[in-house]
Amino acid sequence: MNPPYETGARAVTVRPARTEDLDAVLAIRNHAIEHGTALWTDTPQTRAEGAAWLGAHLGRGSAYVAEDGGTVVGFGVYGPWKDYSGFRHTVENSVYVAEGHHGKGIGSALLTTLVASARAAGLHVMIAGIEAGNTASVRLHERHGFEHAGTVREVGTKFGRWLDLTLMRLPLE
């Protein structure tokens, strides 16, 4: 039996992102910046910044979009967790769903694809850094086998309040 938040997953197609997905991805990303605490910045990305960010993920083959009826309704990426060479086998994921499309299994479909892609790439661990109050994201990652690795208190700020960061990890091998 599928929980109610996953009932629409079959209608969504997840595919590798392309350059022409930039505007849709940027709209979802900037909405998250302006209205939520998932991205800890107050400044929306410009088109040039978004193109550079997406381009880096496209170059690694680590960017995917979810489409519903030909419309991009979510995206997921993974990339280096830290820039030091000792962390080269560890990646961090990001999954975002467009406003009005939550609760349809889109995040789950994207995360499934990211994990499979990272495994196929021979990576060792996937990390999720989640604002501690984002229980939907924590539950999503738990359903995909991520384990709680710790919470770091008051390491970010947004909308005039301190934010806690929950770290979760998934062994890929």
Side-chain angles (χ1 to χ4, degrees):
M1 181 172 138
N2 287 337
Y5 45 78
E6 292 189 330
T7 57
R10 291 185 185 99
V12 173
T13 301
V14 176
R15 63 163 172 80
R18 301 184 293 250
T19 304
E20 54 267 25
D21 296 319
L22 173 61
D23 290 331
V25 169
L26 192 58
I28 295 167
R29 193 167 161 82
N30 280 339
H31 186 273
I33 289 170
E34 294 170 357
H35 300 283
T37 56
L39 283 162
W40 294 5
T41 181
D42 301 316
T43 308
Q45 268 190 327
T46 66
R47 195 163 198 287
E49 291 167 338
W53 174 85
L54 183 59
H57 286 290
L58 293 176
R60 283 190 295 273
S62 62
Y64 296 86
V65 296
E67 287 185 329
D68 186 0
T71 300
V72 173
V73 293
F75 73 89
V77 298
Y78 65 84
W81 186 48
K82 301 279 185 184
D83 287 332
Y84 299 109
S85 63
F87 294 106
R88 68 187 170 276
H89 302 289
T90 302
V91 291
E92 182 175 10
N93 79 71
S94 296
V95 174
Y96 292 89
V97 175
E99 187 66 26
H101 293 275
H102 296 94
K104 299 178 181 179
I106 296 167
S108 186
L110 285 163
L111 188 53
T112 296
T113 301
L114 293 178
V115 169
S117 176
R119 282 189 171 129
L123 295 163
H124 183 66
V125 171
M126 183 174 278
I127 300 289
I130 304 168
E131 193 275 317
N134 188 345
T135 55
S137 186
V138 169
R139 283 194 308 262
L140 169 68
H141 284 81
E142 286 173 343
R143 286 194 314 271
H144 285 267
F146 283 73
E147 63 188 16
H148 187 266
T151 298
V152 188
R153 304 279 178 220
E154 298 183 356
V155 293
T157 185
K158 192 166 182 185
F159 303 132
R161 62 186 176 96
W162 290 106
L163 302 173
D164 300 340
L165 181 67
T166 293
L167 294 173
M168 300 183 79
R169 69 178 292 275
L170 176 71
L172 297 170
E173 298 179 312

